[in-house]
Amino acid sequence: MSDVVIALLMSLIAGLATGIGACAAFFAKSTNKKFLCGALGFSSGVMLYVAMIEIFGNAVSSATEYSGEAVGGWIVIGSFFGGIILIAAIENLIPSIETQCKKRGDDGDRIAGSELINGAAGDSVSAERSRLMRMGVVTALALAIHNFPEGLATFVSALNDPELAVPVVVAISIHNIPEGIAVSVPMYQATGSRVKAFIFSFLSGLAEPVGALLGWLILMPFMNELVFGIIFAVVAGIMVYIAIAELLPSAREYGSGGLTTFGVVIGMAVMAISIMLFK
């Protein structure tokens, strides 16, 4: 078996580990708001810790190695906030669910009272599920983008030394499990389908071998430390925005601030341990 095939298989194994975390949807209850609150807090902790400790640190290291400390630092800062602006712009292009429901409610003023009440209640449930659906999709997208360069990095290390890459792949696999939870739980709460939640989470993990394959076919001739630094910084900005603007506010809606904070801390602790295993 060639070194390229081995490296691709290692990236695939690391990415598929996300499916283990995705199984959290099979044990969740759609009516358990406390579980959802803790899970969203956990997801926020995962996103924030990964973004600011691992990804942003890698961005600084890569960019400054290529361009020097001053220039590289400014490039990373610009790319980080560029990622925030990018995901904020994308979200603003998505029609507001609450606005749509209000419009339907206004149009329904002509309907009889009981029908209007039932319609308003239905709109409220629909808005909640739609918000969770969008949260799950955006989280899956952010993690997929994050897994893309991670898969490329796994591929390169495995290509250089397959034996040395084995513990790296194991650590990344452990690292990907909570990422699967971050996608599957809100997706299940939104759709009520464990299968859909699993599929979305599973697909976000597949970005890892896809990143490895595309890196081998297309990007390797153009990749350098500066490009890696820019990609990592943009991804970090995207993940921080999602955690602050989407996950944390939603967690507070479904439970207490204490439970949300507890979830955030546990999420950070899990990721800190997985990163130390990676090192």
Side-chain angles (χ1 to χ4, degrees), residues 22-247:
C23 291
F26 290 92
F27 303 100
K29 293 182 179 180
S30 60
T31 56
N32 192 335
K33 300 300 183 182
K34 289 185 178 180
F35 176 80
L36 180 57
C37 171
L40 292 175
F42 178 90
S43 301
S44 300
V46 168
M47 300 278 272
L48 289 171
Y49 196 94
V50 169
M52 298 308 300
I53 302 299
E54 182 186 24
I55 302 179
F56 191 84
N58 288 339
V60 172
S61 176
S62 296
T64 55
E65 179 179 337
Y66 185 89
S67 302
E69 185 172 348
V71 175
W74 282 112
I75 290 175
V76 169
I77 291 174
S79 300
F80 175 80
F81 287 102
I84 292 178
I85 294 171
L86 174 64
I87 190 63
I90 292 174
E91 282 205 316
N92 286 332
L93 293 176
I94 301 175
S96 171
I97 301 301
E98 291 79 3
T99 299
Q100 292 178 8
C101 290
K102 184 179 185 300
K103 182 178 184 299
R104 288 200 300 270
D106 292 340
D107 293 341
D109 284 342
R110 295 185 298 272
I111 303 175
S114 61
E115 294 180 356
L116 179 60
I117 292 174
N118 291 335
D123 283 345
S124 177
V125 173
S126 176
E128 178 180 345
R129 290 180 176 176
S130 297
R131 185 168 62 250
L132 288 170
M133 171 68 82
R134 185 174 70 169
M135 185 190 312
V137 171
V138 172
T139 302
L141 177 62
L143 290 175
I145 296 172
H146 158 55
N147 285 336
F148 187 91
E150 188 176 86
L152 181 57
T154 304
F155 174 79
V156 171
S157 63
L159 191 60
N160 290 335
D161 190 341
E163 292 184 4
L164 184 62
V166 170
V168 173
V169 171
V170 172
I172 291 180
S173 299
I174 296 173
H175 170 88
N176 284 343
I177 292 174
E179 294 182 354
I181 298 174
V183 177
S184 66
V185 171
M187 187 61 65
Y188 171 60
Q189 299 289 335
T191 65
S193 170
R194 291 179 171 87
V195 174
K196 289 181 180 179
F198 179 86
I199 290 174
F200 266 88
S201 184
F202 185 77
L203 289 177
S204 71
L206 286 182
E208 199 141 319
V210 170
L213 184 60
L214 290 180
W216 177 52
L217 295 175
I218 302 173
L219 298 179
M220 285 301 293
F222 309 100
M223 292 300 294
N224 56 42
E225 291 300 319
L226 179 61
V227 174
F228 265 119
I230 292 172
I231 292 174
F232 282 133
V234 170
V235 170
I238 290 173
M239 296 178 74
V240 167
Y241 179 89
I242 292 171
I244 295 175
E246 293 284 347
L247 298 176

